[in-house]
Amino acid sequence: MLAGAVGIAAFAWLALFQLLLAGGAPLGQLAWGGAQRVLSARRRMASLAVVPLAVLGAIALGQASGLLGPLLSPRLVPWLLWGFTGLFVLSLLGNLATSSRLERLHGVPLTMIIAGSSFWLAIFGA
């Protein structure tokens, strides 16, 4: 249950953070390469596109950990968990490689938590 709760919190922060970026909040140094204080219109749209993915991730982790009832097909959840594990391992690598110190400080722990909780629940479930 701990992996689910921590993962849900991380996905919730990711969704809120991306909504803030999409809305023009001056947090761009923490994302997308860290080169812009306020994201360009194109990057703001990309941030907005991340939000439903983060919500889906929170639901999948919640269901896999037993914190949420069945909102998704039980057959789909393991696939989503493995998909999020892979996606956020790749995101972790990108965050480790960025030249932006602020992006590393924010993105590395966040992507580690999401990848780790997704992996844990993919292996062990609730």
Side-chain angles (χ1 to χ4, degrees), residues 1 9-10 18 20-21 24 27 31 36 56 59 65 69 76 78 86-87 93 101 114 116-117 119 122:
M1 263 216 300
Q18 295 295 339
L20 290 169
L21 288 170
L27 300 170
Q36 301 171 321
L56 181 62
I59 292 169
S65 64
L76 178 62
L87 177 64
L93 295 174
R101 179 180 164 274
I114 293 174
S117 59
F119 177 74

Side-chain angles (χ1 to χ4, degrees), residues 64-124:
S65 64
L67 295 172
L68 289 177
L71 299 172
L72 303 168
S73 165
R75 299 172 87 182
L76 178 62
V77 172
W79 290 98
L80 288 172
L81 294 174
W82 284 113
F84 286 123
T85 299
L87 177 64
F88 283 93
V89 164
L90 292 174
S91 184
L92 171 62
L93 295 174
N95 281 295
L96 286 167
T98 185
S99 60
S100 168
R101 179 180 164 274
L102 291 175
E103 185 177 13
R104 275 194 312 277
L105 287 172
H106 175 258
V108 168
L110 181 61
T111 54
M112 284 178 68
I113 290 167
I114 293 174
S117 59
S118 298
F119 177 74
W120 182 267
L121 289 168
I123 297 289
F124 299 109

Side-chain angles (χ1 to χ4, degrees), residues 17 19-29 36-39 44:
F17 176 66
L19 277 173
L20 290 169
L21 288 170
L27 300 170
Q29 292 109 332
Q36 301 171 321
R37 187 167 173 265
V38 175
L39 298 182
R44 289 168 70 177

Side-chain angles (χ1 to χ4, degrees), residues 4-58:
V6 171
I8 289 169
F11 268 123
W13 167 246
L14 178 62
L16 176 60
F17 176 66
Q18 295 295 339
L19 277 173
L20 290 169
L21 288 170
L27 300 170
Q29 292 109 332
L30 301 175
W32 302 107
Q36 301 171 321
R37 187 167 173 265
V38 175
L39 298 182
S40 66
R42 185 179 210 167
R43 291 242 167 106
R44 289 168 70 177
M45 292 304 295
S47 282
L48 191 58
V50 172
V51 174
L53 184 72
V55 171
L56 181 62

